[in-house]
Each structure stands twice: as structure tokens, then as C-alpha cells.
Amino acid sequence: MASREFPEYAAPIPVRGGIRARSERGSIGETWWSRRFIDVLESFADRNRLHRGRAYARRGQVIDLKVRPYEVSARVQGSRPEPYEVAVGIAAIGEDAWRVVEAELASRSAYRALLLAGEMPKEIEWLFAELDIPLFPESAHDLHLMCDCPDYGDPCKHTAAVLYLLAEAFDRDPFLLLEWKGRPRERLLAGLRRGNADAAPDPFDVGDEPLTATGFWAPGAPWADLRGDRPAVPTPPDLLLQLLDPPPVKVRRRPLIDALAPAYEAMPDA
């Protein structure tokens, strides 16, 4: 562990074959889930350290990055000969809570189908919220940042570089976010298949029963009874922004959707 004396300001040693951010300028993160993660990071981190972290990520100073349940580890080359060791921990989702999540996902055919096809449903964050299980870190207290550099900043530029590259990794493979939260892809998909097999039979599956016209012309339930007094499904104020493809317009270098999101969230419920 390096002694913590003064932060380094010298130019970093170039890395051959390092992980380089795809984004060359502006914001990092293309999908809604990576942008949500970056929004949390930029809400509490020092702006100057974030700027240097983005520069490190774009120069390819991160040597490697590994995502495991509850921890991301990486090596980042600074100005000193030995690379710095970085680790980013996150609060664990317990095994019982994951079973509840898997059962809920398996019970919703649209979610299950998309996940089994390798896609991340846009509404999955709402499902986690309904279960009172946060999918994303909500503040600095939900992230445990560790680096053996001499900078006391939290995050330092080395950790910031890793976090930005982690967001881009989420762009390529959203299942990494769930793995970081404790459920690797194959284990999650196995749980969904198992939950689907244990689910109640499909009411529209008539099996081998012969089809008859018995009762076909019988009057059904009144329309009022069918409609009932079902409660309205809560709709997030920025649903429209999340469903639309982001336009190629930026406001002060920020995507238009990101600039409009606070206004939508401030709108009262209809």
C-alpha cells in the first residue's frame, strides 16, 4: 500500500494495450442504465477529479477491469512505475432478496422473454423499486471506493477512470450491472427458467381438451364487472423520455433527454 502523502500531478506513463474509452469527448455512457450510473457518480464527485478520470479513461491508462459479484477490481497506470490497485464495492443484495427478484421477473412474461434473449427491459428498474431493492447506487454511501494512490479524493482520478469505463462496459453488456449486484448472467437466467417451470399453468393453454361450442353463446359478464375498479399502474413522469430514441441534440454538451429529465420529474402527477 503506497503511503498517502501528496496526490500525483505528473503525466501518467503510457500504457500499451490499455482499455480505452469509446467516447472521445463529452459525456460517457450511451444507454439509459449507464447514464443513470454516471448521473449518480457525477452528483457527488469532485468535478476536477472526474475530468482527470475521463482523460485517463480516454488515454487507455486502465490496464484491466474485472466485474465480480459486489466488487469491481482494476489496475490503473499513473506516473509511478507500479500501477495502482483500484476496487469498487457495492452494497450486497442478499440471497433471499435475489430469489424474490427472480420469482417476480419469471412471473412477468415480457421481462422474462427479453432477459432470456439477452436484452435488458427498460422497466426493470421500476420492478426493483417496487420490491424496495435499489438497482443503482443512490449516493456516495452506496459505493465503497478504494485505491492505493496517495490522493485522498473520493473518488481519485484512477477510481473515476475505472467508473467511467465500467459505465461503458454496462453499455456493451447490461448483465454486468446485475452481476455486480450479485447475480451473474447464467445464474440469473437459470433462476428465470426454473421460476417459469414452477409458475402456474397458462390459462390460455387448453392442452388436449377438445374444443366445443358449449357455452359459446351464453351471455358473459357485464362490461362494468370486467372493467372493475382496478388501480392505475403508476407511471414515472419521464416515461416518454425513456421510451423515445435520444435525438442527436445537446444542450450545453448534455444530451437533450438528460436536460429535459429534471423538468419531467418536477411535473405533478396527472
Side-chain angles (χ1 to χ4, degrees), residues 50 68 83 110 114 167 172 187 216 246 254:
L50 290 179
R68 303 184 183 90
L114 285 172
R172 294 189 298 272
R187 189 172 178 188
F216 182 82
R254 296 179 60 201

Side-chain angles (χ1 to χ4, degrees), residues 25 30 40 43 45 49 68 75 89 94 98 114 129 134 140 151 164 169 182-183 186 194 219 221 236 244 253-254 259:
R25 63 178 58 187
E30 299 175 355
V40 174
S43 69
R49 286 188 172 89
R68 303 184 183 90
R75 290 182 300 155
W98 266 118
L114 285 172
D151 188 353
Y164 279 119
R183 251 328 176 254
E186 291 308 316
R194 184 173 56 250
L244 293 176
R253 299 183 179 179
R254 296 179 60 201

Side-chain angles (χ1 to χ4, degrees), residues 21 27-28 40 45 56 66 68 70 82 120 149 155 199 204 240:
S27 59
I28 289 180
V40 174
Y56 263 51
K66 298 178 182 178
R68 303 184 183 90
Y70 313 128
E82 292 297 322
M120 180 70 71
C149 76
F204 297 101
L240 183 61

Side-chain angles (χ1 to χ4, degrees), residues 115-157:
L115 288 167
L116 291 175
E119 300 181 28
M120 180 70 71
K122 287 187 176 182
E123 301 83 0
I124 194 170
E125 183 182 5
W126 308 340
L127 182 144
F128 274 78
E130 288 175 7
L131 301 175
D132 199 24
I133 301 173
L135 178 59
F136 294 92
E138 298 176 329
S139 70
H141 301 292
D142 296 329
L143 291 173
H144 310 291
L145 310 178
M146 293 158 280
C147 179
D148 58 0
C149 76
D151 188 353
Y152 281 106
D154 199 8
C156 64
K157 56 181 172 287

Side-chain angles (χ1 to χ4, degrees), residues 8-59:
E8 60 169 24
Y9 294 110
I13 299 172
V15 175
R16 179 176 297 179
I19 304 173
R20 190 183 296 270
R22 296 194 307 273
S23 166
E24 296 181 356
R25 63 178 58 187
S27 59
I28 289 180
E30 299 175 355
T31 56
W32 69 266
W33 52 85
S34 64
R35 290 202 305 267
R36 183 68 53 86
F37 177 68
I38 290 299
D39 285 346
V40 174
L41 169 64
E42 294 181 344
S43 69
F44 69 84
D46 178 78
R47 184 181 298 272
N48 291 328
R49 286 188 172 89
L50 290 179
H51 176 75
R52 292 195 290 270
R54 284 194 298 270
Y56 263 51
R58 287 169 173 149
R59 291 181 59 165

